[in-house]
Amino acid sequence: MGPAFVEALPVGKFHGIGPATSAKMNALGLHTDLDMRNRTMEFMQANFGKAGAYYYWISRGVDDREVRANRIRKSVGAENTFSSYLTEFDSMVAELRPLIDKVWRHCEDKGSRGRTVTLKVKFNDFEIITRSRSVSVAVANRDDLERISVALLQNEMPLPKPVRLLGVSLSSLQGDDQAEPQLGLPI
């Protein structure tokens, strides 16, 4: 199913193809992966320079870039899409709690803490908003993570539309060996 899916994928969905390149490709009749795959390497390089070879090969599923499995994680998050839309604050808070638990478990397992909490809200019309709060020292415990997350949600109430997805993330991560002394957070 993968190759058939990619054949119909719009060129703008590929990594490294932004709005300007996508528009240029569309003007040349390249709208999908299959359109790119039907062009020669020479055509792609003549129209896109050095990047043309990259586009030629990604349309064929070839990517020789090195995999960096040991990169430093910059954030950890969890989100959930709901089968029915949420409109009440209390039900949203109830749905946030397992997400907060998941994020905090990861932090505990990896010995990392973060200073920026981000709340993600996707509405029933797929509009997305994010709200963040950074604190001066890393979030010390799960309860602080919950207090900040719920406060971010509370600040947006009442929401203008029903909610289909909620997410919580913690970023500006640091490991235990880099951690500053942990203090309680004023919320």
Side-chain angles (χ1 to χ4, degrees), residues 51-134:
Y54 170 74
Y55 303 146
Y56 177 85
W57 288 113
I58 63 166
S59 70
R60 289 158 174 78
V62 177
D63 186 351
D64 291 329
R65 293 176 296 166
E66 183 179 331
V67 174
R68 295 181 357 201
N70 295 323
R71 66 179 172 79
I72 296 172
R73 180 180 287 274
K74 296 181 181 172
S75 67
V76 59
E79 60 184 41
N80 191 20
T81 302
F82 310 111
S83 56
S84 59
Y85 300 140
L86 304 178
T87 56
E88 301 300 319
F89 177 74
D90 289 340
S91 60
M92 290 179 215
V93 170
E95 294 291 349
L96 277 176
R97 287 190 177 116
L99 302 175
I100 292 164
D101 289 340
K102 186 174 182 179
V103 169
W104 194 254
R105 263 193 318 276
H106 177 86
C107 290
E108 288 287 298
D109 291 347
K110 300 299 181 188
S112 60
R113 300 291 183 265
R115 293 184 327 114
T116 302
V117 177
T118 301
L119 173 73
K120 177 180 178 180
V121 179
K122 184 185 284 188
F123 297 108
N124 63 334
D125 64 357
F126 293 91
E127 177 189 0
I128 298 172
I129 62 168
T130 59
R131 300 296 183 258
S132 299
R133 179 174 299 158
S134 294

